[in-house]
């Protein structure tokens, strides 16, 4: 009896050692992340950076060469159309009068003064002649009533009065001409910065805001002399915003006018937008890698309400997610499960605890999932991010959460 017990114990020990070797050497199931095929909404978008711009910007510039006074405006100030003054311009002549020209203009003023005096003397002479003619006409009319003088004498006296009145009007016109010539000669003698008349220190032209809004820029704040067309300020309405996104021309072809979009990444809540215009002309832009790209500007209107102070400002950076396609009840296949085998897409399905290489057909894709068209049964289990230890037929086990 003792002998058989020893044999039994020896066999039991050999079996235990053999089982230990088997457990140590046999392939263990590979722990993997497993997900199930599920249905849900799928949205295909193009995500691209853009900038927010005020839709209508008014650039105010100097309409003529002038000296502008120091501006009281600052960026961000609120302006009201036709009420808020943007700048004050004082017209200026850029040339100064030299000594010889000043002497010549002074002599011209003296000559104009003399001409005015001569015209005034002619006017006084004409007034005296008219008074004499009118007095003579009165005497002739009195004598004509008594029959002493003929009708012809009365007619000659009346004609002489008309002629003297005409001479008076001519003298008055000559005096007005000479006075205008004197004013012109005095104006030519003015130096830049001199007042145009004794009762005015500045003939200034105010420029008012053409629209309600806020000040975007004030290029010149100090008093200075500017030529025609110099920018003085930019005005924009913060209630009218648009987003400008430059897409690759190959992506812009897939975008349609009126498509919906979501504006994110500006520091506030997501905003809904809609494409208003796709510009027909592309432009060349060099990427960060030094590659020349053909880009197309796409302009979007923000349709979300922008009440209060929480709104993007001019030139804010944003990210626009433009919708290309949307489906509500779509079989979603996680992108992390897909890989290429030759020219086809494949996944590892989990069947009876083993990985099974399965070819699939996919359609639309977003950043997280793809539309599963064919290849897997409903609610099939697939392996996410399969490593090089996973192959067709390998035993797998779902990884425990947190491990």
């Amino acid at each position: 009896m003792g002998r058989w017990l020893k044999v039994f114990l020896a066999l039991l020990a050999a079996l235990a050692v053999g089982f230990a070797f088997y457990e140590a050497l046999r392939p263990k199931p590979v722990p993997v992340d497993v997900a199930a095929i599920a249905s849900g909404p799928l949205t295909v978008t193009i995500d691209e950076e853009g900038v927010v711009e005020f839709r209508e910007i008014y650039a105010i510039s100097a309409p003529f060469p002038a000296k502008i006074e120091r501006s009281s405006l600052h960026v961000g100030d609120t302006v009201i159309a036709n009420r808020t003054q943007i700048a004050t311009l004082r017209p200026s002549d850029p040339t100064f009068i030299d000594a010889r020209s000043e002497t010549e203009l002074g002599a011209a003023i003296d000559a104009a003064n003399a001409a005015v005096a001569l015209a005034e003397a002619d006017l006084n002479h004409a007034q005296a002649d008219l008074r004499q003619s009118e007095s003579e006409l009165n005497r002739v009319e009195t004598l004509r009533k008594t029959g002493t003088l003929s009708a012809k004498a009365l007619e000659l006296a009346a004609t002489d009065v008309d002629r003297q009145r005409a001479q008076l009007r001519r003298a008055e016109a000559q005096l007005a001409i000479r006075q205008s010539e004197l004013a012109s000669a005095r104006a030519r003698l003015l130096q830049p910065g001199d007042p145009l008349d004794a009762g005015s220190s500045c003939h200034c032209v105010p420029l008012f805001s053409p629209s309600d809004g806020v000040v975007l820029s004030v290029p010149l704040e100090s008093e200075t002399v500017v030529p025609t067309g110099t920018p003085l300020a930019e005005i924009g309405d913060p209630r009218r915003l648009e987003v400008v996104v430059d897409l690759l021309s190959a992506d812009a072809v897939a975008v349609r006018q009126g498509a919906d979009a979501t504006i994110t990444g500006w520091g506030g809540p997501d905003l809904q937008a809609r494409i208003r215009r796709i510009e027909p002309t592309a432009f060349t832009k060099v990427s960060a890698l030094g590659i020349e790209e053909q880009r197309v500007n796409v302009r979007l209107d923000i349709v979300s309400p922008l009440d209060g102070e929480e709104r993007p400002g001019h030139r804010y950076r944003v990210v626009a997610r433009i919708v290309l396609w949307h489906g509500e009840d779509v079989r979603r296949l996680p992108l992390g499960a897909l890989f290429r085998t030759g020219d086809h897409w494949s996944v590892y399905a989990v069947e009876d605890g083993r990985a099974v290489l399965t070819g699939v057909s996919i359609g639309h894709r977003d950043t997280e999932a793809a539309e599963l068209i064919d290849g897997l049964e409903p609610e099939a289990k697939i392996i996410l991010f399969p490593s090089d230890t996973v192959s067709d037929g390998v035993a797998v086990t779902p990884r425990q959460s947190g491990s």
Side-chain angles (χ1 to χ4, degrees), residues 311-370:
R311 68 179 71 189
H314 187 55
R315 290 293 180 183
Y316 275 33
R317 172 198 168 276
V318 297
V319 175
R321 295 178 178 171
I322 302 174
V323 177
L324 299 182
W325 180 87
H326 178 76
E328 285 295 335
D329 191 16
V330 179
R331 296 181 65 197
R332 295 171 55 91
L333 179 64
L335 291 182
L338 285 167
F339 58 89
R340 301 288 288 185
T341 53
D343 296 333
H344 306 285
W345 289 105
S346 300
V347 297
Y348 281 116
V350 180
E351 297 181 6
D352 299 328
R354 294 190 175 275
V356 179
L357 181 63
T358 305
V360 294
S361 297
I362 63 173
H364 299 93
R365 288 178 291 173
D366 64 7
T367 57
E368 298 179 354

Side-chain angles (χ1 to χ4, degrees), residues 7 12 32 264 293 322 369 403:
V7 172
L12 186 61
V32 293
T264 63
E293 300 173 340
I322 302 174
S403 61

Side-chain angles (χ1 to χ4, degrees), residues 148-168:
T148 305
L149 293 177
S150 64
K152 182 177 181 180
L154 178 61
E155 182 180 350
L156 291 174
T159 301
D160 186 62
V161 170
D162 292 338
R163 183 171 60 254
Q164 294 303 326
R165 287 175 178 171
Q167 288 292 337
L168 177 62

Side-chain angles (χ1 to χ4, degrees), residues 71-93:
S71 175
S72 60
L73 292 178
H74 298 89
V75 175
D77 287 352
T78 301
V79 295
I80 302 174
N82 301 319
R83 291 180 57 185
T84 304
Q85 186 168 326
I86 301 300
T88 301
L89 286 75
R90 183 166 61 246
S92 62
D93 186 350

Side-chain angles (χ1 to χ4, degrees), residues 121-202:
D122 291 341
L123 177 61
N124 293 333
H125 187 272
Q127 290 172 343
D129 288 345
L130 178 60
R131 287 193 297 270
Q132 182 179 359
S133 297
E134 290 175 342
S135 177
E136 182 66 21
L137 178 60
N138 291 332
R139 288 194 297 271
V140 171
E141 288 177 344
T142 301
L143 294 175
R144 174 57 185 160
K145 291 177 180 179
T146 61
T148 305
L149 293 177
S150 64
K152 182 177 181 180
L154 178 61
E155 182 180 350
L156 291 174
T159 301
D160 186 62
V161 170
D162 292 338
R163 183 171 60 254
Q164 294 303 326
R165 287 175 178 171
Q167 288 292 337
L168 177 62
R169 290 194 296 271
R170 180 176 180 179
E172 290 174 345
Q174 286 291 339
L175 178 60
I177 292 173
R178 301 311 176 192
Q179 289 174 340
S180 298
E181 292 175 348
L182 175 60
S184 176
R186 288 173 175 171
R188 290 197 301 272
L189 191 58
L190 291 175
Q191 295 280 12
D194 291 343
L196 296 182
D197 56 73
S200 174
S201 60
C202 176

Side-chain angles (χ1 to χ4, degrees), residues 16 24 35 41 95 99 116 203 214 226 231 310 357 388 396:
T95 59
V116 169
H203 285 250
V214 297
V226 297
E310 196 173 72
L357 181 63
D388 55 359
V396 294

